[in-house]
């Protein structure tokens, strides 16, 4: 069965520092991968997604993620963090059958990002 | 584009009453809508998947008679929590998918339900 692991529950970085949030997935075939961000009391906003093609994916708000099949990872990165980036970040993988129209997502537990001034 | 709204954003009700939450896709037609529940500081738990005009598919452990889902049109899905109890208090989030090759889910802002 598919699963998503976000090893870091909580990360704190200084404003202006670089950021990398880890995500590992378990999936037999080529996965459909997503990163979402959730601000307190809000729904989820899609940052970026990977379906196929170039393994380095650019998203909104200056985020990017790299798909590494050999490591079963899809880590999210940002070169310089802003205070407004403080939020909860969720990695997700499309469940089996995703490409066939059954588009259920499996979410990781999330990583809470705090940004120090 | 791809905006999803939810109404209400917050609701407080008495134990034993029923509460209806609406989820609308504002600028696209959603072939599939999803309902999630999120407990404090936890991830999203999928409750059910609904396709327009057909019965919802519930995840294991979710009571379909307690959480009624109606997907009446390609832009509207409703979740009704029947005979709500304090343990039903939670953050409920819907998402909508255009379907096809994209299959990306777009999420609503969520509804905070508090049952007294």
């Amino acid at each position: 069965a598919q699963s998503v692991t976000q090893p870091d529950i909580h990360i704190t970085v200084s404003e202006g520092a670089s950021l990398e949030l880890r995500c590992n997935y378990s999936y037999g075939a080529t996965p459909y991968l997503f990163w979402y961000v959730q601000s307190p009391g809000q729904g989820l906003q899609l940052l970026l997604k990977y379906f196929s093609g170039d393994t380095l994916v650019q998203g909104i708000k200056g985020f990017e993620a790299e798909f590494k099949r050999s490591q079963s990872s899809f880590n999210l990165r940002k070169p310089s963090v802003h205070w407004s980036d403080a939020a909860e970040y969720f990695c997700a993988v499309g469940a089996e059958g995703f490409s066939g129209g059954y588009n259920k997502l499996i979410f990781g537990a999330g990583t809470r990002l705090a940004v120090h001034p | 584009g791809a905006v999803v709204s939810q109404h209400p954003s917050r609701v407080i009700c008495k134990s034993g009453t029923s509460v209806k939450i609406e989820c609308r896709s504002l600028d696209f037609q959603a072939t599939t809508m999803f309902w999630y529940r999120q407990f404090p500081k936890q991830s999203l738990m999928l409750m059910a998947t609904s396709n327009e005009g057909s019965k919802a598919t519930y995840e294991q452990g979710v009571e379909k008679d307690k959480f009624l889902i109606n997907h009446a049109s390609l832009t509207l899905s409703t979740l009704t929590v029947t005979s709500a109890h304090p343990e039903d208090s939670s953050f409920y989030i819907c998402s909508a998918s255009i379907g096809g090759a994209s299959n990306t889910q777009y999420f609503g802002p969520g509804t905070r339900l508090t049952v007294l």
Side-chain angles (χ1 to χ4, degrees), chain B residues 53-84:
Chain B
S54 61
K55 290 185 178 180
T57 301
Y58 289 82
E59 295 298 302
Q60 192 172 8
V62 177
E63 299 176 61
K64 62 181 181 181
D65 294 330
K66 180 166 188 62
F67 299 99
L68 300 178
I69 292 173
N70 182 275
H71 195 157
S73 75
L74 286 172
T75 60
L76 173 65
S77 177
T78 60
L79 167 68
T80 301
V81 183
T82 62
S83 187

Side-chain angles (χ1 to χ4, degrees), chain A residues 85-105:
Chain A
D85 293 324
E88 185 93 21
Y89 291 81
F90 292 97
C91 180
V93 64
E96 188 168 351
F98 193 82
S99 62
Y102 176 59
N103 49 357
K104 174 180 175 179
L105 290 177

Side-chain angles (χ1 to χ4, degrees), chain A residues 40-54:
Chain A
Q42 301 295 315
L44 276 68
Q45 181 182 22
L46 179 67
L47 286 175
L48 47 79
K49 60 187 178 185
Y50 171 78
F51 284 1
S52 64
D54 193 347

Side-chain angles (χ1 to χ4, degrees), chain B residues 15-48:
Chain B
S15 185
T17 61
S18 294
V19 174
K20 180 183 286 187
I21 303 170
E22 290 187 350
C23 176
R24 293 182 184 272
S25 56
L26 299 184
D27 51 1
F28 66 98
Q29 292 188 324
T31 56
T32 308
M33 287 186 168
F34 303 82
W35 287 96
Y36 294 84
R37 184 172 180 176
Q38 186 180 30
F39 292 101
K41 299 184 179 181
Q42 293 189 28
S43 189
L44 282 73
M45 181 191 79
L46 180 65
M47 299 173 66

